[in-house]
Amino acid sequence: MSLREQVVAGLEEVRRRSLLYTDIDDDELVRQHSPLMSPLVWDLAHVGNFEDLWLVRALGAQDATRSGLDDIYDAFRHGRASRAALALLGPAGARAYLREVRGRALDLLDRFGPLPDDPAHSLTIPHALPVGIGIATEPGAAPPVPAGTSPTGTGTPSGAAARATEGSPLDADADAHDRLLTRGFVYGMVIQHEHQHAETMLATHQLRAGPPLLDVGATPAPGRVVPRREVLVPAGPFTLGTSHDPWAYDNERPAHRVELPAFWIDTLPVSNRAQMAFIDAGGYDDPRLWSPAGWEWRQQEGAHAPAFWWRDGGIWLRRRFGRIEPVPPDEPVQHVCWYEAEAHARWAGRRLPTEAEWEKAATHDPVTRRSRRYPWGDTAPTPDHANLGNRTSGPAPLGAYPTGASPCGAEHMIGDVWEWTASGFTPYPGFRSHPYREYSEVFFPKSGETSAFRVLRGGSWATGVPAIRATFRNWDYPIRRQIFAGFRLARDAE
């Protein structure tokens, strides 16, 4: 398959996700389900506006498909809580806008001629796994046919990464056009952006009240007991980040050598069972386990368990996309904020890994002394490697993906839950903004300040396959719980 064919297929796949998650009643689309999230109809038109900015205007030097929309769909001008009050396109208008933009983007792709397919520019685009969650239908009703199955038909990542994919192509340098086309980068950016917003839409669905609108996904692979609770990562150098991945964002670049002491990291993320033990031990009520900022958040929030959990007698229940169900003890815990992860780690006598430790555990091959694109190698994820692309509508049981293990033996490092790390969001040495400052640079702390954000790694069950790799850096405020985030524990080697 040529690079052009891969780009077209990637654009079509992610558009099917966007339209599938918004194939609901108009009232649900325009409603603000939570001040934490935009109305779904805003996200829908926003991905079209982003595509128009980059594939039609920045790349094609064309006029806007529709004038007057840039301000409305600029996330930096309008916070999520205020977007419902804007003069948004309605559901039908948003879908029509997406079709118009996509038609122009594909026409321009043909005008540019074949994208380079020589070995120096080779690229295999990782396509999305089959989407396993659809729109719920009433009994006896015909299932809806997803719109957008033709070319006319987006945490962070969830979290801040999805929020940050805004900006203006006017910030580009003189050689921006060629850089945007190199190895299809700009198309990869647009595809990833829409996958990120698809994950954001799922977070909105989780926050909304009322009966289910989404079908339950496929049954995940069964879990298993892993042979070791933790694995040792030996001391030594490794390569953090990337300078060669064609779709990597600027904050993943450049690759650079990092020296780390030896450390232990858990084979698996923390389970719901372990979080229940933390609760039963009084973890949410013991200020000694919390940082001052974390304890202040805990008191203000009144948190006593992960978001969407409550206890009914001796049973823990959760709400998942409008359905009430027992909390499965052997899934990774999700919907916990960084402060909860930090307190749990302190209770367990452990700590959160730094993002450098996380990436070394996920990618470093001590035999070849190189870093892999994914824990298992450089080949794109399959359903045997990781739980991605919303196939299962939630995390898989722990131990379900032994073939996805990293060289050191850590599992579930891609997919299932984003993993909080101990690290703030800062630039790598030699960082250079590309293609615009608003993706990463504006979120870095100023000189002498500490980062307001914490880095998450690995993606979740809702993350699109093209929007994740082991170098991908998500970030969000330490109070965020609506994202599909959990954590794993680490400790210093003794």
Side-chain angles (χ1 to χ4, degrees):
M1 183 184 292
S2 70
L3 179 54
R4 182 197 180 282
E5 291 170 330
Q6 292 181 63
V7 164
V8 172
L11 289 168
E12 291 178 354
E13 283 177 343
V14 69
R15 185 53 50 81
R16 282 194 288 270
R17 287 192 78 185
S18 297
L19 294 173
L20 187 63
Y21 303 156
T22 55
D23 190 11
I24 57 179
D25 290 345
D26 286 1
D27 288 346
E28 296 282 357
L29 286 177
V30 302
R31 183 175 303 150
Q32 183 106 37
H33 295 287
S34 166
L36 294 172
M37 310 302 286
S38 311
L40 288 164
V41 74
W42 186 93
D43 286 288
L44 186 63
H46 167 76
V47 297
N49 185 247
F50 188 85
E51 184 171 323
D52 190 53
L53 274 169
W54 289 100
L55 299 190
V56 176
R57 287 184 264 171
L59 197 59
Q62 304 292 305
D63 292 335
T65 299
R66 293 193 193 180
S67 61
L69 297 182
D70 288 353
D71 176 80
I72 295 172
Y73 295 104
D74 185 336
F76 278 91
R77 292 180 183 268
H78 308 287
R80 290 178 176 179
S82 67
R83 292 172 188 169
L86 301 173
L88 305 178
L89 293 175
R95 295 185 183 104
Y97 177 53
L98 262 63
R99 289 193 295 270
E100 292 173 40
V101 172
R102 178 56 55 83
R104 296 184 74 194
L106 293 177
D107 287 345
L108 288 166
L109 177 59
D110 289 332
R111 185 181 304 178
F112 289 133
L115 292 170
D117 283 323
D118 60 87
H121 295 279
S122 62
L123 168 65
T124 300
I125 295 176
H127 291 303
L129 302 172
V131 175
I133 232 179
I135 304 302
T137 56
E138 294 295 327
V145 178
T149 54
S150 71
T152 60
T154 128
T156 267
S158 61
R163 208 166 43 248
T165 46
E166 329 301 342
S168 170
L170 300 178
D171 298 333
D173 346 23
D175 64 345
H177 188 276
D178 290 343
R179 291 172 63 200
L180 288 175
L181 274 179
T182 299
R183 301 180 74 184
F185 170 81
V186 70
Y187 294 102
M189 181 177 71
V190 169
I191 290 169
Q192 289 182 93
H193 172 260
E194 191 161 346
H195 273 294
Q196 288 170 288
H197 274 275
E199 184 164 356
T200 300
M201 291 177 186
L202 285 171
T204 302
H205 273 283
Q206 173 62 22
L207 284 164
R208 65 169 288 278
L213 296 179
L214 300 178
D215 287 332
V216 176
T219 301
R224 79 189 205 291
V225 177
V226 297
R228 294 174 293 173
R229 174 192 169 187
E230 58 183 358
V231 292
L232 177 66
V233 181
F238 88 108
T239 300
L240 177 66
T242 179
S243 294
H244 305 293
D245 194 298
W247 282 17
Y249 287 120
D250 55 6
N251 63 62
E252 301 171 59
R253 303 171 183 268
H256 55 290
R257 181 185 174 99
V258 173
E259 187 87 28
L260 291 177
F263 63 95
W264 292 89
I265 192 166
D266 280 4
T267 305
L268 300 171
V270 168
S271 66
N272 288 328
R273 186 188 305 277
Q275 191 70 10
M276 293 173 189
F278 172 68
I279 297 169
D280 290 343
Y284 278 88
D285 300 315
D286 187 347
R288 296 172 299 175
L289 300 175
W290 300 75
S291 64
W295 185 244
E296 181 181 5
W297 169 84
R298 207 304 270 150
Q299 291 180 298
Q300 291 177 348
E301 186 71 16
H304 63 277
F308 311 112
W309 283 32
W310 69 94
R311 201 197 300 259
D312 184 7
I315 300 175
W316 280 105
L317 301 175
R318 70 180 180 187
R319 178 171 59 83
R320 182 174 63 147
F321 298 112
R323 295 177 176 86
I324 309 303
E325 60 188 22
V327 176
D330 295 319
E331 283 183 4
V333 66
Q334 66 173 346
H335 296 304
V336 289
C337 73
W338 187 85
Y339 291 131
E340 291 169 281
E342 180 191 41
H344 183 120
R346 191 169 290 118
W347 168 75
R350 313 290 287 286
R351 59 176 175 82
L352 299 178
T354 66
E355 69 164 324
E357 288 174 332
W358 188 97
E359 189 170 319
K360 184 175 184 181
T363 68
H364 181 65
D365 187 333
V367 176
T368 63
R369 298 183 180 180
R370 62 177 293 271
S371 294
R372 300 173 173 181
R373 191 170 197 251
Y374 304 101
W376 53 87
D378 296 328
T379 59
T382 72
D384 293 329
H385 292 124
N387 181 19
L388 290 163
N390 194 23
R391 293 179 57 252
T392 62
S393 70
L398 290 166
Y401 298 101
T403 58
S406 72
C408 74
E411 301 181 18
H412 290 258
M413 297 203 81
I414 296 291
D416 285 306
V417 291
W418 289 100
E419 296 185 18
W420 290 108
T421 72
S423 300
F425 185 54
T426 58
Y428 289 161
F431 168 83
R432 179 186 178 191
S433 290
H434 175 67
Y436 58 103
R437 293 181 62 251
E438 288 83 359
Y439 184 75
S440 305
E441 188 175 343
V442 297
F443 294 94
F444 294 145
K446 296 179 181 178
S447 178
E449 297 181 355
T450 58
S451 177
F453 304 98
R454 292 294 178 267
V455 173
L456 303 99
R457 291 301 202 102
S460 78
W461 58 268
T463 303
V465 171
I468 195 60
R469 52 203 159 267
T471 57
F472 189 97
R473 305 173 75 196
N474 189 5
W475 67 96
D476 214 329
Y477 290 110
I479 64 171
R480 291 291 184 243
R481 308 174 90 203
Q482 82 274 15
I483 57 179
F484 305 113
F487 59 102
R488 78 175 66 215
L489 302 178
R491 64 182 175 93
D492 298 342
E494 299 173 353

